């Protein structure tokens, strides 16, 4: 873990439920941080907290759905904090509700933030990482991209694309010294986009905490990339079952209360 100390991690979505936990875990390991989000006040508050741990922290406000802000982000970060060793694409937005009723603009904005932004920010930092023969791109994806969530179908599609792209990229980068990891959490309790919708998830589903996701990120930084699942329930079996017999997974999801839970989120706004 000593090797991580003093490296610079650019973390998007730093002020969200999972982002804060990742930022705290990385600071605890001695990494310097560039915190990114749109809300400058929230970023500055988190920066002040983390400076107390003795690492260097810069706060950079940027809207990742804006093309030029997205393109300029790595340059702004590098000019203030130095070489980016690690990029953590964590910013994301959820989408809940029936697809037949979705605002077409929402389809674009979910894909833009959850899928296009991680790809294009990575595209900007990768050539330099390859040149230096070192670097790690961590994409915070979701199990939603592996099991296909009804009433969150665009969100699930955005994460499916993110995971598959990460796996392909990691293979493409083999022998370059640069690694790509997709972290796929199931439902996260306590804080974050689903917790903020204030509809209690069925107990049988099982949830993880933002801290468990953060721990998985820290461990992944010493791994060889690929996909890391964060779930309090066995998930690989469900994924395998889905490939072989999709109907069984749907009936299990119904029995566990997942489908009713997702339907009940329709029309919900964050509290
Ligand atoms: N919570 C879960 O159950 C769960 C499960 C699996 C995967 N995930 C994934 O984990 C990641 C973090 O989720 P979370 O639960 O922590 O969500 P969250 O609490 O809603 O945080 C979202 C973060 O993204 C930033 N953001 C939103 N729109 C942005 C934009 N246009 N430009 C730049 N930054 C933007 C927000 O900051 P500003 O508002 O300041 O911009 C915030 O820091 C997401 O990718 C999510 O899909 C979450």
């Amino acid at each position: 873990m000593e090797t991580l100390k003093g490296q610079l991690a650019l973390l998007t979505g730093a002020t969200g439920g999972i982002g804060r936990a990742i930022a705290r875990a990385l600071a605890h390991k001695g990494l310097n941080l560039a915190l990114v989000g749109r809300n400058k006040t929230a970023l500055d508050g988190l920066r002040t907290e983390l400076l107390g741990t003795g690492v260097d922290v810069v706060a950079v406000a940027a809207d990742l759905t804006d093309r030029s802000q997205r393109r300029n982000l790595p340059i702004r970060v590098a000019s203030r904090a130095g070489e980016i060793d690690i990029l953590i694409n964590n910013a994301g937005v959820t989408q809940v509700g029936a697809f037949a009723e979705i605002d077409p603009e929402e389809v674009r904005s979910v894909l833009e933030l959850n899928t296009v932004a991680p790809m294009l920010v990575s595209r900007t930092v990768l050539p330099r990482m390859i040149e230096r023969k070192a670097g790690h791109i961590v994409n915070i994806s979701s199990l939603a991209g592996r099991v296909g969530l009804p009433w969150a179908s665009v969100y699930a599609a955005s994460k499916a694309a993110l995971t598959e792209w990460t796996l392909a990229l990691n293979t493409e980068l083999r022998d370059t010294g640069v690694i790509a990891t997709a972290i796929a959490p199931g439902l996260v309790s306590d804080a974050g986009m689903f917790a903020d919708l204030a509809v209690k998830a069925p107990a049988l589903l099982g949830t993880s905490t933002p801290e468990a996701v953060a721990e998985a990120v820290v461990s992944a930084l010493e791994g060889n990339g690929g996909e890391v699942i964060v779930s309090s329930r066995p998930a690989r079996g469900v994924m395998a079952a889905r490939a072989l017999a999709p109907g069984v997974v749907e009936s299990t999801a119904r029995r566990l209360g997942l489908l009713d839970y997702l339907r009940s989120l329709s029309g919900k706004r964050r509290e």
Side-chain angles (χ1 to χ4, degrees), residues 52-266:
T53 64
V55 298
D56 293 337
V57 187
V58 294
V60 184
D63 184 340
L64 293 168
T65 60
D66 179 292
R67 284 181 191 203
S68 74
Q69 290 187 43
R70 193 161 62 204
R71 199 172 38 240
N72 293 333
L73 177 66
I75 300 162
R76 286 172 68 201
V77 167
S79 70
R80 290 178 55 191
E83 294 272 13
I84 298 161
D85 299 296
I86 295 162
L87 167 64
I88 303 178
N89 290 305
N90 166 66
V93 64
T94 187
Q95 163 270 323
V96 289
F99 182 74
E101 293 160 17
I102 196 170
D103 176 344
E105 217 22 70
E106 192 180 357
V107 175
R108 286 182 202 285
S109 61
V110 170
L111 293 171
E112 188 76 29
L113 182 63
N114 292 4
T115 315
V116 175
M119 288 183 180
L120 294 185
V121 178
S122 302
R123 173 65 185 82
T124 316
V125 302
L126 259 174
R128 181 67 188 135
M129 286 182 172
I130 292 171
E131 197 174 69
R132 296 172 67 210
K133 298 188 175 50
H136 203 133
I137 292 178
V138 178
N139 295 315
I140 307 301
S141 190
S142 171
L143 271 182
R146 285 296 188 199
V147 296
L149 287 190
W151 295 284
S153 61
V154 177
Y155 177 73
S158 74
K159 294 299 186 177
L162 183 64
T163 297
E164 290 300 333
W165 167 67
T166 312
L167 295 176
L169 182 67
N170 191 44
T171 304
E172 216 173 289
L173 290 172
R174 191 139 298 146
D175 303 326
T176 64
V178 186
I179 288 166
T181 302
I183 305 282
L187 211 55
V188 173
S189 59
D190 302 344
M193 53 175 57
F194 286 101
D196 290 353
L197 291 173
V199 178
K200 209 166 165 33
L204 280 177
L205 274 186
T207 54
S208 303
T209 60
E211 289 71 29
V213 180
E215 228 170 87
V217 170
V218 171
S219 306
L221 289 178
E222 299 212 308
N224 294 322
E227 184 183 35
V228 174
I229 289 174
V230 184
S231 171
S232 58
R233 295 280 185 272
R236 295 256 175 220
V238 176
M239 282 155 55
R242 182 166 188 259
L244 296 169
V248 173
V249 175
E250 187 183 324
S251 61
T252 308
R254 199 178 296 283
R255 241 192 352 268
L256 291 176
L258 175 62
L259 299 193
D260 285 341
Y261 167 68
L262 290 167
R263 198 185 284 118
S264 74
L265 295 179
S266 295

Side-chain angles (χ1 to χ4, degrees), residues 16-68:
I18 293 174
R20 282 177 188 276
I22 296 173
R24 287 178 184 131
L26 295 181
H28 184 70
K29 293 288 173 198
L31 282 101
N32 298 321
L33 294 166
L35 309 173
V36 179
R38 288 166 305 177
N39 183 334
K40 186 75 168 71
T41 312
L43 286 174
D44 286 340
L46 183 61
R47 173 174 177 270
T48 307
E49 174 198 320
L50 297 174
L51 282 174
T53 64
V55 298
D56 293 337
V57 187
V58 294
V60 184
D63 184 340
L64 293 168
T65 60
D66 179 292
R67 284 181 191 203
S68 74

